[in-house]
Amino acid sequence: MAYSDDISDLGADHHWKFDGDSTDVIGSANGTDTSIGHTGSAIAKDATVCATTNATGDRVSIPTTTTINNSAQARKAVAGWFSFSAVNQPFTRIYGEGDNTTNFQFCAGFGNVVTLEVRDGATWQIQVYTDRPLVVDRPYHLCAVLEGNAYGNEVRFYLDGVEQANAIPVDREPDDASLALRGVAEFGDPAGTVGLDGTALLMVAPVNGNYNHWCAWGDEADAVLTETEVRGTLFERGALADVTISTGTESAMQTALDVYADTVRSDTPCCIEIEAVSGGGDFTLDLDNITFNEKASIHVRYNGTADTLTLRNINGSDCSIVSAPFGGSLELRTEVTVKVTAKDAESGADVTGARVLLEADTGGDLAAGTNIISTATDGLGEASVTFDYSSDQPVTGRVRKGSSSTFYQTGTLGGLINSGGYDVTALMVKDE
Amino acid sequence: MAVGDYLIRRNASDDTTEVTTSVTDLSWDTEAKVIGTGITYSSGEFTLVAAGVYLVIWNEYLEETSKTSDSSSREEIQGELQLDTGGGFNTITEGMCQGYIRRDSGQFQIVIKGTGIIRTSGANHKIKTIAYRTDDSTGEVLRTSGHGGVQIIRIDETDNFGRYASTAGQELTADTATDVVLGTSIEQDSPFTRTSNAIDISTTGRYLVSYSCDVSMTFNNRTEVQFWLELGGTRVPGSSHSVYLRSTDSTQDGAVSHLTLVDVGTANDDLVWRVARVEGGTVTTVASGACIQIWQLPSGNKTAIMEATGGTLYTNPFEWDTLPHIDTDTFTATAGNSNIDTDSAVSTYLVLASGARTTYGGCARCTPHYRVGGGALGVIPYGQDGSYFRGSGTAGFGGGGAACIIPDMPSGSIEMQNALLGTVSDSDTICQTGQLAVLDLGSLYTYVYPPVITDVEDELLGAAEADVLLDGLGFEATQGTGKLELSDNSVYATGTKVTQSIDSWSDDEIQFDVTIGALDEGALWLWVTTDGAELSNGYKVNVGLAPHDPAMALGADHWWTFDNVWTDSVAGSGWGAVTRGTPDFLARTISRTTTYAGRMNDGDDGTETPQSSYMNLGTHASRNVGGWVEVDSYQLLPAAIYEEGGGVNNLYFILGSGNILLCNAADSNNNWKAQTFSDTPLIPNRPYHILFDMQGTGGHGTIRMYIDGVIQASYTGSITSATMSSHSGDISIGKPGSSLDTGGTDISYKSVDTVYYSNWGSWSNTGGGAPLTATEIRDDLFRDGAIAKYAISSGTESAMQTAIEAYDDSTHVDWPLTYDIKGKTGGGDIELTLTDQVFPDEVSLQVRYQGDADLTIRNSGTSNLVASKVWAQTGGTVTIIETAQITVTVRDLSTGSVIQGARVYIEADAGGPLTEGDEILNTTTNASGIVTGEIDYTSAQPIVARVRSASGTPYYKTSPFVGSIGANGFDLTAYMLGD
């Protein structure tokens, strides 16, 4: 299903795809462009171009609309994709309704830190700030949700589907029924007086600011977007990926993925997307020594609509943020070492040839009794295997040496395999 | 009564006397120094007790206080001496002076200064000072306390004098230099012979010359009259003084007085008093009675003279080009330097410091502020002069000079430390002639000095340091009832004093042991009282810990402590030149050695400091500005902390977007704009040290920002020119004086509400201080200035351990500095342990150690002290010991169940930092079968160990094990076999 359909399914009242024009593809609040470009590369899925404000006076004017600005709203949401192509030195307004006294606006400054301000005259005001400046040429999904005190009594601001907590007041509660009606919505340069904290402040259009898939919800139940809808649908399903592993055989896809072995993936909305395997079915791929930027919002996304992709971090890969928003499943595992070292309890000497049996206990992903190690210790007294870790796995086991002298009594093993693996020394007592 | 007697009185407290068009008698409320009984003072009148010759120098600092109205007004203040020889006071020409205030130049202050050599014919003649205005502006002009003074010294009347005066008014023609016409010889000793206007001096040597006259003009135009001396047809450096007139607002009356030292190197050279009028009033007249006095310094005089042929008039300190005369048995000086150093242990000096142009030029309105100062002297408050001039209309000569007596001066440096009155400076304000001259009055007269402390062996004394040597003279040979005291005030009577323990006492040296008693560490003063009850000078020392005062060491052009004063402690003047709202101070310490902070408590609060060539009026390749700030809330509207410039070129700090700090640099002349941003928001109620670092293409070519000494990562835009253009307009803290360009848009910011300021400075490459190094910013500005959340005072090691343990098992708050730790009582190394004390990443400095020995701190448990956030401030060292955690779990081999009460014994094996056999752990397992311990970790430690349980059933056999304790500790499960 196309991303536009996702937005429609969430009940949006207005949707400006900005895919060549400023038309409202759901409602009728078509935008009027003032020097807007429509030739830049798309910054989200389901679009071929984006809208661009490439001068401080550029704007898209939205006609006054009940479900956007021209009514008091107890519930409301606005979301969309946006990117800067530079650190903007002047204060900019990405999107806004109203003026400096009553408004609902995304503003930016101070090195591309975005401020969501929702203000109702002198009655109440909430500012929420992104926890980081927006990186140049990196698309972000912005989403703001308002609920008056008859509902959730909260203003929420999501960046790439992650709720932002830096806010004044900290509780982000309007403690009021609704946001009063306000001036028309505009993308980019405000035509009238705007400001922050009730005071006029000159703001201009982002240069360059890029827009795709902005949408708005009026005062209705659909406006109360859930975290899953914001993150799982609006962000994860719309994010463009830096790398695409296209459908193929499992081995072909592994080969394609291995091209990125030993690389560092940058700060992007989605580093790698993996399509379904040819013919369907579950499949497994290894990430071989791939380092992911901690600020990237999705490390790997599985685009399959069914089946399970098992993804293994091997050789130091550190994928930790995964997504499967289109119906399939993704299981992330990390290769760890499980090792048992057998030593003589009296002398401390390594015991070679001791039989180690380690199996899953109850309480983990594996079925109790699943064999993990069943082998004899080597010349260093060690028995080890690699293990695909996904969550802590209780284990039980024993170690003995009864097949050749020196003989040792059976010892017990226990504990957990955790993200660091399992490394236990068994002190063995000679069997007299 | 004796020759050499002198009296110095000052205006210490009068800020309210207004100078109006009515004559005002000036009183001088505080006696600064009196020697002998030859001059007395009462109720504004000075009595010259015996008939004789007196040198009189006086000055006053005046301020136009009604700054918000009639912004273009001009004020003209006349100052005069009046002499009463028995029949009442009458104005004399000697000592006449005038000051000119031009508010369009942001100049609200002026200094008037008069000089004269007066001979009285009878006993108890009196002198007083008067001031009045002849302008018709509506502005209010008040005296200013703490600056002005009157100095009178009795000269030996048997010395040789020449005193001359004009007998008729003299009209000046435009732009033509001429002689001041001398019509009468009032007194003429050998070696002087006057022929017409030329005074022949038959004997080489040094001559002190004072001239004074009254000038007026008609016709409204900018008019400047400059006077100077010529010797043998050549202008005498430092002898020039100008007066500025303009009849707008009825400012057509002027007067000058000037004092200079003339070195006559060729016998029978003619000394001629010259004058030139530049542009201006059609009729310009030097009034009848213009007078000049010459005193041949008697044999044995010791002098030094430095002269200038270049430099900028308002620089501090001013550097001199030549050294035409010096008596090297008394003075040392080097051409090219700023200072004349006095070599005597203590003496009394007459100092003259002046400068002027010799050709007029197109200068902006400018008011150099001539000031005598130097070294430990600071600026001599009664040694000042100010002189306005303006090049437009070609009245661009300028010229003025300060003069003062410095009593009881230990050996040290004397300089001219000029500044600027008003906001307009100009690089064309070139000094083409100037003089720094010093006469050792002790070479002429015998003075008995009080005891003087000249040196203490260490600049920084330990709070209990023993055997400290104090040098000076006049302590007397034996101590008797004498004493040495440590005081917390520079005024003896005001301070709390602690008597020091004396080891030995002689006339010129005292050895003592420091006793700080209840005084706080920091800047303190030593005072010697002799057996004869004579009190010495107060000698400033730093005890325990030097105060946070990095301005001089780092070459700051400007430094503002905000410690209940707006004053610029380097350049004088300071904030308050213009005020918006009600900026004030609050008793709040946000950086070390301060008890107050400057405060903007409303978005409309702001204040300005005079513009500066080292800041916004000059072009600079590099600049640094910064200091301590604290805000009390999140700033919802972008608001200003500091700014220079305006809508074209600027440098500023603003705060917004959840308290992100932004520094902006814009230079539209050079077509660049740049910004830098803090990595994290400034948390309310937490002090921060902020500083910007602007460098042109000769440096890093960007604007960068340091917070708590750490450079911030984010910046945008490049500085593409070698220098940043000047950016006149204003310099403000709080609400800016004008809109500021922000990436191409002009924003009218308010002040951050509320913001506190402490210990700010400004540096420039032209001043020599910029760019500051990263180490200077971190150590000298941030680390030295931070206030600690907790102080661990000196004590025994166990007492200090107890004190620091109070914070065990806690996570410290976000603060610039967590701990100040003093040295151990009695000195020596000390070791402290922090147990489960967690320092969040936001803490900028975790420990500042203020001892001089070795401090070792152990990180026990989860404590996370790191070396990069530990600083030894006073010469000691700090070593951090990491620990490794040991965990042994004991289980039954057969059942896997834990065993309680098993004894675990671990000792060091060979191959590690411990000695083989050292016991590491020896204890029994708890109910969970676990024993834990900790070891200081420096490198891997091999161990041998055993575990046994034989004290209660079931019994277990002893199980030995070996291993190695690594950086991550040692964690082992030991299985035991039943016995």
Side-chain angles (χ1 to χ4, degrees):
Chain A
M1 186 166 65
Y3 185 59
S4 294
D5 297 330
D6 294 331
I7 292 171
S8 179
D9 286 354
L10 290 176
D13 297 317
H14 307 276
H15 180 195
W16 302 275
K17 290 181 67 174
F18 293 123
D19 191 16
D21 58 35
S22 299
T23 302
D24 179 356
V25 297
I26 292 178
S28 58
N30 296 327
T32 301
D33 291 354
T34 302
S35 303
I36 297 295
H38 288 285
T39 58
S41 299
I43 60 171
K45 282 183 172 291
D46 192 21
T48 55
V49 295
C50 68
T52 300
T53 51
N54 58 9
T56 56
D58 293 357
R59 81 173 62 90
V60 177
S61 303
I62 305 300
T64 190
T65 306
T66 301
T67 49
I68 300 174
N69 67 294
N70 198 27
S71 65
Q73 291 176 303
R75 294 164 293 184
K76 174 178 181 62
V78 174
W81 288 88
F82 178 78
S83 73
F84 285 107
S85 65
V87 176
N88 275 227
Q89 294 188 16
F91 300 113
T92 59
R93 194 159 87 147
I94 297 168
Y95 169 87
E97 306 162 8
D99 54 17
N100 58 308
T101 57
T102 298
N103 58 44
F104 186 101
Q105 57 183 356
F106 296 98
C107 310
F110 291 84
N112 288 359
V113 173
V114 177
T115 297
L116 167 70
E117 180 178 86
V118 185
R119 178 183 170 89
D120 188 330
T123 308
W124 58 272
Q125 169 182 288
I126 291 164
Q127 288 188 358
V128 191
Y129 318 100
T130 53
D131 59 6
R132 69 197 72 180
L134 302 197
V135 173
V136 168
D137 293 330
R138 194 277 208 199
Y140 291 88
H141 186 262
L142 309 178
C143 177
V145 178
L146 160 68
E147 295 183 64
N149 61 6
Y151 301 96
N153 192 29
E154 188 177 44
V155 169
R156 299 188 297 276
F157 177 23
Y158 297 88
L159 181 69
D160 282 358
V162 178
E163 190 171 353
Q164 303 296 289
N166 297 337
I168 303 295
V170 174
D171 63 13
R172 292 176 278 121
E173 294 177 357
D175 292 325
D176 197 7
S178 62
L179 172 66
L181 68 83
R182 58 221 160 268
V184 296
E186 295 164 310
F187 296 90
D189 181 44
T193 299
V194 295
L196 288 168
D197 192 29
T199 301
L201 178 70
L202 184 59
M203 291 188 268
V204 295
V207 180
N208 298 324
N210 303 306
Y211 298 77
N212 269 135
H213 291 300
W214 280 71
C215 37
W217 288 258
D219 190 354
E220 58 191 23
D222 290 342
V224 183
L225 295 167
T226 67
E227 190 166 321
T228 300
E229 289 169 335
V230 177
R231 170 74 187 190
T233 302
L234 291 174
F235 168 64
E236 292 185 356
R237 292 170 74 103
L240 288 176
D242 189 35
V243 169
T244 300
I245 305 301
S246 301
T247 295
T249 63
E250 183 170 352
S251 63
M253 295 177 76
Q254 181 64 63
T255 299
L257 188 55
D258 286 345
V259 170
Y260 302 99
D262 308 319
T263 62
V264 176
R265 310 316 306 166
S266 60
D267 178 7
T268 60
C270 178
C271 298
I272 298 172
E273 63 179 350
I274 298 174
E275 296 179 345
V277 69
S278 294
D282 297 344
F283 63 116
T284 298
L285 295 174
D286 290 346
L287 300 168
D288 186 0
N289 191 28
I290 300 176
T291 302
F292 292 89
N293 188 300
E294 64 180 7
K295 292 181 179 175
S297 297
I298 302 171
H299 291 169
V300 176
R301 180 177 63 201
Y302 175 45
N303 290 357
T305 56
D307 306 318
T308 298
L309 165 63
T310 299
L311 198 62
R312 300 175 67 236
N313 277 318
I314 67 170
N315 296 326
S317 287
D318 62 356
C319 173
S320 61
I321 307 171
V322 295
S323 165
F326 299 107
S329 300
L330 192 156
E331 294 183 2
L332 179 65
R333 306 193 183 283
T334 298
E335 180 185 73
V336 297
T337 299
V338 175
K339 184 175 75 172
V340 175
T341 304
K343 289 183 178 293
D344 184 289
E346 293 183 16
S347 66
D350 300 330
V351 177
T352 302
R355 168 67 55 184
V356 177
L357 176 65
L358 189 70
E359 57 190 26
D361 203 352
T362 56
D365 288 345
L366 298 179
T370 302
N371 187 287
I372 297 171
I373 297 180
S374 179
T375 188
T377 56
D378 60 15
L380 298 175
E382 296 176 354
S384 65
V385 296
T386 58
F387 179 83
D388 291 341
Y389 171 82
S390 59
S391 61
D392 288 352
Q393 175 61 58
V395 293
T396 184
R398 53 194 179 276
V399 53
R400 63 184 295 271
K401 184 166 184 282
S403 57
S404 61
S405 67
T406 302
F407 300 106
Y408 288 88
Q409 297 181 10
T410 299
T412 57
L413 299 171
L416 278 178
I417 301 172
N418 58 26
S419 59
Y422 182 82
D423 187 357
V424 164
T425 298
L427 296 173
M428 303 185 70
V429 177
K430 292 187 177 69
D431 192 356
E432 301 168 351
Chain B
M1 293 174 290
V3 295
D5 284 1
Y6 66 89
L7 174 66
I8 303 172
R9 289 195 70 91
R10 295 183 53 202
N11 169 22
S13 62
D14 184 359
D15 283 321
T16 57
T17 297
E18 182 178 0
V19 178
T20 67
T21 53
S22 300
V23 171
T24 300
D25 289 350
L26 303 179
S27 61
W28 306 91
D29 54 24
T30 299
E31 178 183 289
K33 186 73 179 179
V34 60
I35 293 293
T37 57
I39 304 113
T40 63
Y41 172 86
S42 178
S43 300
E45 298 177 1
F46 297 85
T47 299
L48 313 178
V49 176
V53 180
Y54 296 84
L55 169 64
V56 182
I57 305 166
W58 77 284
N59 74 333
E60 181 56 305
Y61 189 103
L62 301 151
E63 180 168 9
E64 208 273 39
T65 56
S66 49
K67 299 172 181 172
T68 57
S69 63
D70 195 11
S71 62
S72 64
S73 71
R74 301 161 175 83
E75 280 105 14
E76 185 180 75
I77 303 96
Q78 312 295 325
E80 295 175 0
L81 291 180
Q82 289 193 332
L83 179 66
D84 177 6
T85 60
F89 281 102
N90 292 293
T91 292
I92 58 176
T93 304
E94 292 90 338
M96 280 186 166
C97 49
Q98 175 249 41
Y100 186 88
I101 293 176
R102 178 68 163 108
R103 292 180 35 178
D104 253 4
S105 309
Q107 178 217 346
F108 299 99
Q109 302 87 15
I110 195 64
V111 181
I112 56 175
K113 179 220 66 186
T115 65
I117 298 173
I118 301 166
R119 178 180 286 275
T120 60
S121 57
N124 297 318
H125 289 187
K126 298 178 186 298
I127 282 180
K128 70 176 181 181
T129 51
I130 65 168
Y132 59 93
R133 287 165 55 187
T134 56
D135 63 85
D136 57 13
S137 295
T138 58
E140 179 185 68
V141 176
L142 302 181
R143 299 182 74 184
T144 304
S145 63
H147 292 278
V150 179
Q151 308 160 74
I152 306 174
I153 181 170
R154 184 182 175 199
I155 301 170
D156 189 343
E157 61 184 322
T158 65
D159 290 346
N160 296 321
F161 297 93
R163 297 195 297 130
Y164 309 94
S166 66
T167 55
Q170 179 179 356
E171 187 173 322
L172 304 176
T173 55
D175 304 339
T176 301
T178 186
D179 297 348
V180 175
V181 177
L182 301 177
T184 181
S185 301
I186 302 169
E187 178 177 359
Q188 183 165 272
D189 299 329
S190 171
F192 307 110
T193 304
R194 180 176 70 87
T195 303
S196 185
N197 303 323
I199 304 162
D200 178 86
I201 300 176
S202 63
T203 306
T204 61
R206 261 74 60 207
Y207 294 79
L208 192 70
V209 182
S210 177
Y211 63 75
S212 307
C213 64
D214 191 5
V215 182
S216 61
M217 67 94 172
T218 61
F219 185 73
N220 182 15
N221 206 340
R222 302 175 177 93
T223 301
E224 186 183 63
V225 183
Q226 189 186 56
F227 297 87
W228 68 96
L229 301 175
E230 288 183 0
L231 180 66
T234 301
R235 182 187 294 252
V236 176
S239 68
S240 305
H241 200 120
S242 68
V243 62
Y244 185 87
L245 311 166
R246 184 168 188 187
S247 61
T248 302
D249 298 328
S250 299
T251 55
Q252 71 272 45
D253 302 306
V256 294
S257 278
H258 194 70
L259 191 63
T260 193
L261 189 61
V262 179
D263 180 28
V264 178
T266 302
N268 295 311
D269 265 355
D270 286 343
L271 183 72
V272 181
W273 185 16
R274 301 277 285 170
V275 61
R277 190 202 77 183
V278 183
E279 283 283 331
T282 305
V283 178
T284 303
T285 304
V286 179
S288 175
C291 60
I292 181 168
Q293 304 93 44
I294 313 170
W295 171 32
Q296 181 188 27
L297 298 184
S299 174
N301 73 81
K302 301 297 182 185
T303 59
I305 302 172
M306 300 184 82
E307 294 175 352
T309 58
T312 303
L313 282 175
Y314 47 81
T315 53
N316 172 13
F318 189 89
E319 293 176 345
W320 306 92
D321 304 300
T322 62
L323 178 63
H325 175 81
I326 185 168
D327 290 312
T328 56
D329 54 351
T330 302
F331 301 103
T332 55
T334 302
N337 289 352
S338 62
N339 53 305
I340 293 174
D341 290 349
T342 64
D343 295 339
S344 298
V346 61
S347 192
T348 300
Y349 300 93
L350 174 66
V351 182
L352 315 174
S354 62
R357 298 170 62 88
T358 57
T359 56
Y360 60 81
C363 303
R365 301 175 180 120
C366 188
T367 313
H369 186 193
Y370 304 92
R371 308 187 304 181
V372 175
L377 296 172
V379 171
I380 305 294
Y382 51 86
Q384 302 182 31
D385 189 19
S387 178
Y388 174 91
F389 65 101
R390 183 176 185 189
S392 177
T394 67
F397 271 116
C404 68
I405 296 169
I406 304 176
D408 307 337
M409 180 183 168
S411 61
S413 295
I414 296 171
E415 296 176 323
M416 181 162 80
Q417 296 188 338
N418 284 354
L420 192 66
L421 295 171
T423 58
V424 178
S425 66
D426 193 300
S427 58
D428 290 336
T429 315
I430 299 301
C431 177
Q432 295 169 321
T433 174
Q435 179 193 70
L436 176 67
V438 185
L439 164 63
D440 180 5
L441 293 170
S443 67
L444 305 181
Y445 312 116
T446 301
Y447 295 110
V448 176
Y449 295 105
V452 174
I453 304 171
T454 59
D455 190 32
V456 177
E457 65 173 321
D458 293 327
E459 291 183 359
L460 179 61
L461 298 175
E465 187 170 337
D467 302 335
V468 178
L469 290 175
L470 177 151
D471 293 329
L473 76 166
F475 302 151
E476 301 185 17
T478 57
Q479 180 179 4
T481 59
K483 59 186 176 182
L484 172 65
E485 295 170 293
L486 197 58
S487 167
D488 60 2
N489 198 289
S490 61
V491 177
Y492 180 80
T494 306
T496 300
K497 295 172 276 291
V498 175
T499 301
Q500 304 300 287
S501 174
I502 304 300
D503 299 327
S504 63
W505 184 293
S506 69
D507 186 63
D508 61 1
E509 187 171 87
I510 297 170
Q511 179 177 304
F512 69 103
D513 300 333
V514 176
T515 306
I516 193 167
L519 303 178
D520 291 332
E521 293 184 1
L524 298 172
W525 285 262
L526 284 165
W527 301 86
V528 173
T529 303
T530 66
D531 187 36
E534 290 285 339
L535 181 66
S536 75
N537 58 317
Y539 192 92
K540 186 177 179 181
V541 291
N542 295 313
V543 180
L545 186 62
H548 178 58
D549 186 17
M552 296 305 292
L554 296 183
D557 303 318
H558 303 276
W559 185 261
W560 307 276
T561 66
F562 295 108
D563 194 14
N564 214 19
V565 293
W566 298 116
T567 307
D568 178 344
S569 61
V570 172
S573 197
W575 304 99
V578 173
T579 295
R580 291 177 282 278
T582 54
D584 61 4
F585 300 97
L586 188 71
R588 186 182 187 93
T589 299
I590 66 170
S591 73
R592 201 165 64 80
T593 331
T594 61
T595 53
Y596 281 80
R599 179 174 70 166
M600 304 298 147
N601 200 27
D602 185 276
D604 289 326
D605 286 352
T607 184
E608 296 180 13
T609 193
Q611 299 183 85
S612 165
S613 59
Y614 295 111
M615 299 175 74
N616 64 329
L617 297 182
T619 58
H620 296 110
S622 59
R623 287 286 313 284
N624 297 107
V625 172
W628 289 88
V629 293
E630 181 179 320
V631 299
D632 73 347
S633 61
Y634 284 94
Q635 194 62 39
L636 300 177
L637 176 72
I641 292 176
Y642 171 91
E643 62 91 7
E644 303 173 7
V648 179
N649 305 330
N650 57 47
L651 280 164
Y652 60 80
F653 284 114
I654 59 172
L655 194 67
S657 285
N659 283 9
I660 298 294
L661 182 65
L662 179 156
C663 179
N664 188 87
D667 186 340
S668 297
N669 301 116
N670 286 310
N671 198 31
W672 55 256
K673 301 180 194 298
Q675 291 181 344
T676 179
F677 319 97
S678 62
D679 294 343
T680 57
L682 302 193
I683 303 302
N685 301 311
R686 191 275 206 199
Y688 291 88
H689 186 268
I690 65 173
L691 182 135
F692 71 67
D693 176 25
M694 186 285 294
Q695 295 185 28
T697 51
H700 53 55
T702 58
I703 183 82
R704 304 299 303 271
M705 187 195 319
Y706 289 80
I707 295 182
D708 286 358
V710 176
I711 194 166
Q712 304 297 286
S714 299
Y715 59 97
T716 184
S718 296
I719 295 174
T720 56
S721 57
T723 59
M724 179 175 178
S725 302
S726 61
H727 37 287
S728 62
D730 58 87
I731 304 169
S732 300
I733 54 174
K735 181 177 172 59
S738 56
S739 295
L740 300 173
D741 176 275
T742 307
T745 63
D746 286 357
I747 305 289
S748 177
Y749 293 102
K750 288 179 172 260
S751 171
V752 169
D753 176 17
T754 296
V755 56
Y756 301 94
Y757 300 81
S758 183
N759 278 324
W760 274 62
S762 173
W763 294 261
S764 65
N765 64 300
T766 53
L772 293 168
T773 67
T775 300
E776 289 170 336
I777 296 166
R778 184 194 64 184
D779 290 354
D780 299 327
L781 294 175
F782 165 66
R783 287 178 165 179
D784 190 74
I787 54 169
K789 194 68 180 174
Y790 308 114
I792 306 300
S793 303
S794 293
T796 62
E797 186 173 54
S798 65
M800 295 176 73
Q801 177 61 45
T802 300
I804 209 164
E805 282 176 3
Y807 309 106
D808 281 353
D809 305 313
S810 66
T811 297
H812 291 293
V813 299
D814 179 4
W815 199 247
L817 164 64
T818 305
Y819 283 117
D820 265 339
I821 300 178
K822 299 289 187 184
K824 186 172 68 174
T825 298
D829 297 344
I830 183 173
E831 184 171 307
L832 301 172
T833 296
L834 310 180
T835 301
D836 296 328
Q837 294 196 25
V838 177
F839 298 85
D841 288 343
E842 293 81 5
V843 169
S844 300
L845 183 63
Q846 296 165 341
V847 167
R848 182 171 59 193
Y849 175 47
Q850 296 170 336
D852 56 7
D854 297 338
L855 167 65
T856 299
I857 303 179
R858 174 177 294 100
N859 269 329
S860 178
T862 57
S863 296
N864 61 344
L865 192 76
V866 294
S868 63
K869 292 187 175 182
V870 168
W871 187 53
Q873 187 175 17
T874 54
T877 64
V878 181
T879 302
I880 296 174
I881 293 179
E882 301 296 346
T883 57
Q885 308 303 310
I886 300 167
T887 303
V888 176
T889 306
V890 180
R891 292 180 178 275
D892 184 293
L893 179 64
S894 301
T895 65
S897 58
V898 298
I899 301 172
Q900 182 178 6
R903 178 159 296 277
V904 178
Y905 181 81
I906 301 175
E907 63 183 27
D909 202 354
L914 297 178
T915 301
E916 183 177 0
D918 283 353
E919 182 178 289
I920 294 173
L921 187 147
N922 182 4
T923 189
T924 56
T925 55
N926 61 16
S928 300
I930 294 172
V931 294
T932 60
E934 186 177 86
I935 184 176
D936 292 351
Y937 179 81
T938 54
S939 60
Q941 176 61 57
I943 58 170
V944 293
R946 55 187 182 276
V947 54
R948 63 187 295 269
S949 179
S951 57
T953 57
Y955 300 107
Y956 290 89
K957 292 181 177 178
T958 298
S959 294
F961 58 91
V962 296
S964 181
I965 302 173
N968 294 323
F970 179 80
D971 189 351
L972 179 102
T973 299
Y975 288 92
M976 299 185 70
L977 181 65
D979 191 354

